């Protein structure tokens, strides 16, 4: 149950409680929850928060439907049937905690590294996502998890180029004259940035969308550049070529605030538009015009998102794009530069929250979450260490979201693997648990949030009491620590106390309490006079740190692991961008949102559909050597020729064959950051039954 301080501060109805959206989105919206007679009746955007401005996405505006969902897990459950059967019986917290700690304790006595936590961004909150849980596993001496499944390639690229996950302030996109929206379907995944982009557009700015898919965002931009997946670095290098050739450069900025210019210049001159056009599959003239627009327009701004880095060369691609603003001096303007993530600008006190000092003297091994499918199937060895014997999953649904999910399922199905899952619902992963522990939703607990799309800290207050027997993640790990006999005082910290520790004195907690958010004090144009957080203090076109790792110190184009044209059996490239009404695998079980989304689909270009006898709406089999996945075809101009779009991430149990698109994706990693390559995937598609010729192409 919540700490006394949390329980005593629960508001009485009717009133509005300030909170924060917990989901993996750049916008980190400020919420207002209306509570009447102890029941949350409405969740809306806080109009007093400038970035949220009273507006929420369709998903989160239905948050009460999720919190009060009839299938919500409200009591601990113990498995009664085979793994994966979904057969459970209710048990008490005492029984669940006693058996869990007995099982974990026995494994830890042999080797605590045989225990692995698995979590990611089911909540982005610093308390419910990365505080008491980390203390527990650090104290236990469990294996550490390399949390790389979303953003680490791009993050590493920013660190190597700009010195951290930093960039321009999102609000100043409204003042830009040119905006490149690169690898982002902003309407669906960054709604409040899109509001600023629309404001710029009304003021005469030109908007260019760079994306293999003709997204809803591309529909609203002046131009769409539909490059092949994994070719973004080639495009960026060709833009550099044209900037150099036409002298659209800020030589003073380059001289004073960059490192490695001569080496980068030499590389970029190897990439004329014709070469990039052949690699990217777009006209050379389109590349020339984009370079001219970018080189002759100030202020020009680039909004990157993470889709572009989910290929072998994803880190290099982000590095190449991140070099562009320094070449033109775009950083001199507060409405110029680029933004991928702002999260590195927050003064988070993570060591205070996570307490790595609790770890044993010898640092435990680290396993990469992307390769959980392989790791769960590996035997003990000198290279691996002990076999994984226990898994504690929270804030994630790896059976649905991890790549190469056929292997993930095999691993989770091991009868000798003890699995505990903290969840709201019986997800694909929860079906394989030995125990499911009921967790609170954002309306029921304390938390504090930073953002990666703006620079405000937000506080989340509990609006209602926990439903049923649900407990916060932090409380569950607090309870486990007590049962394990961990007596360090830090395990007694309440959720509210953890909120106060997250930023220490660096953020005014009193302001968070009264206003719900606090804006960081930062310069409007952070790199107008250089001052990058790199070792040199400059934008590092050449990274000595990468070179010391045996990697190329300059950004370059690296072809995909699974390069289109390299396989006669699998001629189509597949990307798997998110379905608009889901967020990863969250919200898939919210009926109203699933009704909007319809069913799992694969977008396929009319030419590719016609060649395969596939009609719009037909059931198709998408397959490669890793597995197969049946879904419905959407014959659509949203797909470029030769590329299919498998919209995700549906729960496997809702698929035609109990699978989803990740049956096809691989566990191969990116060039830097040890990240996944979801969009680096070759497949073939075939019709499952005879039917009429391909239907009329649809725009949506």
């Amino acid at each position: 149950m919540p700490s006394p301080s949390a329980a005593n501060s629960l508001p009485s109805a009717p009133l509005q409680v300030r909170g924060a959206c917990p989901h993996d989105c750049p916008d980190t919206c400020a919420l207002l929850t209306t509570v009447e007679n102890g029941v949350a009746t409405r969740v809306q955007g806080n109009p007093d928060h400038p970035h949220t401005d009273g507006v929420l996405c369709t998903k989160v505006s239905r948050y009460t439907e999720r919190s009060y969902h009839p299938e919500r897990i409200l009591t601990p459950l113990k498995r009664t049937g085979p793994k994966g059967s979904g057969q459970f019986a209710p048990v008490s917290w005492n029984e669940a905690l006693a058996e869990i700690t007995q099982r974990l304790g026995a494994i830890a006595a042999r080797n605590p590294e045989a225990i692995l936590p698995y979590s990611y961004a089911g909540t982005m909150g610093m308390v419910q996502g990365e505080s008491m849980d980390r203390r527990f596993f650090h104290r236990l001496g469990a294996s550490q998890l390399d949390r790389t499944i979303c953003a680490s390639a791009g993050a590493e690229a920013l660190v190597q180029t700009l010195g951290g996950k930093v960039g321009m302030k999102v609000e100043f996109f409204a003042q830009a004259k040119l905006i490149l929206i690169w690898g982002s379907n902003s309407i669906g995944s960054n709604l409040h940035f899109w509001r600023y982009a629309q404001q710029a557009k009304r003021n005469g700015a030109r908007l260019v969308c760079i994306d293999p898919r003709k997204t809803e965002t591309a529909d609203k931009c002046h131009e769409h550049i539909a490059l092949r997946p994994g070719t973004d670095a080639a495009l960026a290098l060709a833009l550099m070529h044209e900037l150099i050739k036409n002298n659209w450069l800020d030589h003073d900025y380059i001289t004073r605030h960059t490192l490695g210019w001569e080496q980068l210049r030499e590389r970029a001159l190897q990439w004329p538009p014709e070469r990039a056009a052949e690699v990217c599959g777009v006209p050379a003239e389109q590349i020339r015009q984009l370079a001219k627009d970018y080189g002759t327009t100030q202020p020009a701004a680039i909004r990157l998102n993470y889709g572009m880095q989910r290929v072998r060369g994803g880190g290099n691609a982000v590095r190449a794009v991140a070099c562009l603003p320094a070449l033109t001096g775009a950083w001199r303007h507060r409405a110029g530069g680029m933004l991928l993530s702002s999260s590195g600008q927050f003064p988070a006190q993570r060591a205070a929250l996570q307490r790595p000092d609790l770890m044993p003297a010898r640092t435990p091994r680290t396993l990469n979450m992307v390769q959980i499918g392989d790791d769960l199937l590996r035997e003990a060895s000198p290279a691996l260490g002990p076999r994984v014997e226990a898994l504690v999953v929270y804030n994630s649904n790896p059976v649905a979201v991890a790549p190469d999910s056929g292997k993930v399922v095999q691993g989770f199905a091991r009868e000798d693997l003890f699995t505990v899952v903290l969840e709201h619902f019986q997800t694909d992963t929860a079906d394989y648990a030995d125990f499911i522990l009921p967790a609170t939703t954002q309306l029921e607990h304390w938390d504090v949030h930073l953002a990666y799309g703006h620079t405000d800290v937000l506080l989340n207050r509990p609006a209602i009491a926990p439903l049923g027997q649900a407990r916060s993640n932090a409380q569950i790990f607090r309870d486990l620590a007590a049962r394990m006999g961990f007596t360090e005082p830090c395990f007694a910290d309440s959720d509210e106390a953890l909120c106060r520790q997250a930023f220490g004195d660096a953020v005014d907690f009193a302001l968070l309490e009264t206003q719900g958010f606090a804006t960081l004090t930062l310069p409007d144009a952070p790199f107008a006079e250089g001052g990058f957080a790199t070792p040199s203090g400059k934008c590092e076109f050449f990274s000595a740190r990468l070179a010391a790792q045996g990697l190329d110190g300059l950004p370059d184009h690296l072809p995909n692991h699974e390069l289109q044209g390299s396989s006669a059996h699998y001629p189509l490239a597949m990307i798997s961008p998110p379905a608009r009404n889901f967020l990863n695998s969250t919200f898939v079980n919210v009926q109203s949102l699933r009704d909007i989304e319809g069913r799992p689909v694969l977008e396929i270009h009319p030419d590719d559909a016609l060649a395969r006898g596939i009609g719009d709406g037909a059931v198709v089999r998408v397959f490669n050597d890793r597995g197969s996945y049946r879904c419905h075809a959407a014959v659509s101009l949203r797909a470029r020729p030769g590329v299919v779009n498998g919209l995700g991430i549906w729960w496997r149990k809702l698929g035609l064959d109990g699978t989803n698109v990740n049956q096809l994706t691989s566990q191969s990693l990116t060039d830097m950051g040890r990240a996944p390559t979801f969009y680096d995937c070759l497949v073939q598609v075939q019709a499952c039954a005879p039917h009429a010729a391909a239907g009329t192409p649809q725009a949506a």
Side-chain angles (χ1 to χ4, degrees):
M1 299 299 291
S3 64
S5 60
N8 292 340
S9 62
L10 287 174
S12 57
L15 49 75
Q16 288 187 321
V17 182
R18 295 185 185 90
C21 176
H23 293 293
D24 188 0
C25 166
D27 293 14
T28 313
C29 292
L31 306 182
L32 287 179
T33 300
T34 301
V35 181
E36 300 179 28
N37 299 318
V39 175
T41 58
R42 183 186 181 194
V43 175
Q44 65 194 96
N46 184 348
D48 295 331
H49 182 236
H51 296 297
T52 304
D53 197 29
V55 177
L56 294 181
C57 67
T58 303
K59 301 179 282 287
V60 178
S61 65
R62 304 182 188 213
Y63 203 80
T64 56
E65 186 177 343
R66 187 173 188 277
S67 290
Y68 292 110
H69 197 291
E71 296 172 1
R72 175 93 183 267
I73 295 170
L74 296 175
T75 184
L77 300 175
K78 182 177 180 178
R79 179 167 64 92
T80 57
K83 289 239 177 150
S85 67
Q87 297 172 21
F88 294 88
V91 295
S92 69
W93 271 105
N94 280 339
E95 182 179 345
L97 293 171
E99 184 167 342
I100 291 168
T101 52
Q102 185 275 325
R103 294 284 298 272
L104 294 181
I107 295 170
R110 295 193 301 273
N111 191 332
E113 291 183 59
I115 301 169
L116 178 68
Y118 195 103
S119 70
Y120 199 64
T123 174
M124 297 289 283
M126 297 181 69
V127 171
Q128 307 305 340
E130 51 176 304
S131 65
M132 196 61 70
D133 57 309
R134 307 297 171 90
R135 295 179 184 186
F136 176 80
F137 290 113
H138 288 157
R139 173 65 175 79
L140 188 62
S143 289
Q144 297 188 82
L145 185 71
D146 202 5
R147 291 176 170 85
T148 61
I149 203 163
C150 180
S152 61
E156 181 67 14
L158 292 183
V159 169
Q160 297 293 343
T161 312
L162 307 180
K165 291 184 284 184
V166 295
M168 58 183 289
K169 290 184 177 180
V170 67
E171 56 265 37
F172 294 135
F173 276 92
Q175 300 170 15
K177 297 301 181 186
L178 173 70
I179 302 176
L180 307 187
I181 302 175
W182 204 319
S184 176
N185 185 10
S186 304
I187 288 176
S189 62
N190 196 184
L191 182 62
H192 295 81
F193 156 76
W194 181 246
R195 180 166 58 89
Y196 293 126
Q198 287 293 94
Q199 186 177 337
K201 185 180 180 183
R202 288 192 295 270
N203 291 335
R206 179 173 175 78
L207 272 55
V208 179
C209 180
I210 303 171
D211 197 307
R213 180 174 182 255
K214 191 175 190 295
T215 62
E216 296 85 352
T217 302
D219 292 340
K220 303 295 185 182
C221 290
H222 296 95
E223 183 179 7
H224 174 217
I225 299 178
L227 76 178
R228 293 189 181 106
T231 64
D232 303 85
L235 176 59
L237 288 163
L239 296 180
M240 294 181 201
H241 178 284
E242 292 300 285
L243 296 177
I244 295 165
K245 177 184 173 184
N246 294 283
N247 198 28
W248 295 322
L249 300 169
D250 186 329
H251 293 283
D252 176 68
Y253 196 93
I254 291 170
T255 299
R256 293 198 295 131
H257 303 310
T258 72
L259 181 69
W261 161 236
E262 289 303 325
Q263 298 102 307
L264 181 65
R265 182 180 186 278
E266 182 179 348
R267 175 154 296 171
L269 289 175
Q270 299 170 17
W271 281 92
E274 288 74 17
R275 180 184 178 190
E278 185 174 346
V279 170
C280 299
V282 299
E285 188 52 43
Q286 192 174 33
I287 297 174
R288 286 195 186 88
Q289 186 60 51
L290 179 63
K292 182 178 180 180
D293 291 343
Y294 186 73
T296 61
T297 305
Q298 292 285 11
I302 302 172
R303 181 64 172 104
L304 289 181
N305 214 336
Y306 286 106
M308 66 173 295
Q309 47 104 73
R310 295 192 175 116
V311 294
R312 176 198 173 202
N316 268 274
V318 172
R319 285 208 72 220
V321 176
C323 290
L324 291 171
L327 293 177
T328 62
W331 289 118
R332 294 187 188 276
H333 309 273
R334 69 179 189 177
M338 63 159 279
L339 177 63
L340 172 58
S341 173
S342 60
S343 63
Q345 294 167 292
F346 288 83
Q349 309 295 306
R350 285 195 162 90
L353 271 186
Q354 301 179 10
R355 296 295 302 274
D357 58 295
L358 295 170
M359 280 193 289
R362 186 183 73 82
T363 302
R365 69 176 175 185
T366 298
L367 298 179
N368 190 327
M369 68 187 308
V370 174
Q371 298 177 319
I372 189 67
D374 280 344
D375 284 345
L376 289 181
L377 298 175
R378 293 165 72 188
E379 299 293 339
S381 69
L384 174 69
R387 192 177 201 206
V388 177
E389 296 183 46
L391 196 62
V392 182
V393 180
Y394 54 105
N395 298 336
S396 188
N397 182 12
V399 170
V401 306
D404 200 356
S405 58
K407 286 187 176 179
V408 179
V409 168
Q410 289 179 48
F412 271 82
R414 282 174 39 202
E415 283 294 334
D416 64 337
L417 177 71
F418 179 62
T419 304
V420 179
V421 176
L422 283 60
E423 254 300 352
H424 305 135
F425 301 103
Q426 199 167 317
T427 62
D428 291 329
T429 302
D431 282 343
Y432 289 86
D434 293 286
F435 283 93
I436 307 175
L437 302 180
T440 48
T441 69
Q442 189 76 344
L443 303 187
E444 302 157 64
H445 57 227
W446 285 91
D447 217 331
V448 66
H449 292 254
L450 50 73
Y452 64 95
H454 59 71
T455 50
D456 291 355
V457 175
L458 282 80
L459 179 67
N460 186 77
R461 286 177 172 273
I464 58 174
L467 299 187
Q469 297 180 41
R471 300 183 182 183
S472 74
N473 286 350
Q475 183 62 45
I476 292 171
F477 285 106
R478 196 179 292 117
D479 294 338
L480 289 171
R483 294 273 183 154
M484 294 290 287
F486 299 166
T487 58
E488 289 82 355
C490 68
F491 289 107
D493 290 342
S494 69
D495 289 13
E496 183 180 353
L498 292 168
C499 286
R500 294 177 180 275
Q501 293 168 22
F503 292 95
D505 295 333
V507 172
D508 184 349
F509 198 83
L511 182 61
L512 291 178
E513 289 184 299
T514 57
Q515 184 173 266
F517 62 92
T519 301
L520 300 182
T521 302
L522 298 166
D524 284 355
F527 307 123
E529 292 298 329
F532 296 92
T534 55
S536 66
K538 299 181 178 183
C539 177
E540 295 196 351
F541 300 150
F542 178 86
S543 169
R545 291 176 291 173
L546 286 177
Q549 298 172 35
L551 301 175
D552 194 337
L554 293 171
D556 201 1
H557 166 64
L558 299 181
N560 281 2
H561 289 298
E562 300 184 13
L563 181 63
Q564 193 172 4
S566 65
S567 170
H569 295 294
Y570 307 119
L572 298 172
M574 186 189 76
I575 60 174
S576 45
R580 183 171 178 179
N581 293 286
F582 303 153
L583 203 161
N584 300 320
S585 71
T586 305
F587 296 105
V588 177
N589 66 323
V590 174
Q591 189 64 50
S592 64
L593 294 172
R594 198 162 77 236
D595 289 345
I596 297 170
E597 205 57 46
R599 58 193 181 186
V601 299
L602 181 86
E603 294 175 341
I604 184 169
H605 189 273
D607 294 348
D608 295 322
L610 184 63
R612 291 162 175 79
I614 293 170
D616 188 51
V619 176
V620 295
R621 176 175 173 253
V622 195
F623 62 97
N624 57 23
D625 288 340
R626 287 178 289 274
S628 67
Y629 164 53
R630 282 197 314 141
C631 61
H632 290 268
V635 179
S636 172
L637 295 174
R638 292 211 181 280
R640 61 157 288 152
V643 180
V644 291
N645 309 322
L647 303 185
I649 303 173
W650 286 78
W651 288 9
R652 289 169 58 90
K653 66 177 76 176
L654 297 175
L656 294 177
D657 293 322
T659 62
N660 69 13
V661 71
N662 279 322
Q663 195 80 4
L664 309 170
T665 54
S666 86
Q667 297 178 70
S668 298
L669 301 180
T670 53
D671 49 353
M672 62 185 76
R674 309 164 308 285
T677 55
F678 288 113
Y679 297 178
D680 187 338
C681 179
L682 292 183
V683 301
Q684 179 58 291
V685 181
Q686 63 181 201
C688 288
H691 45 70
T696 303
Q698 302 295 312

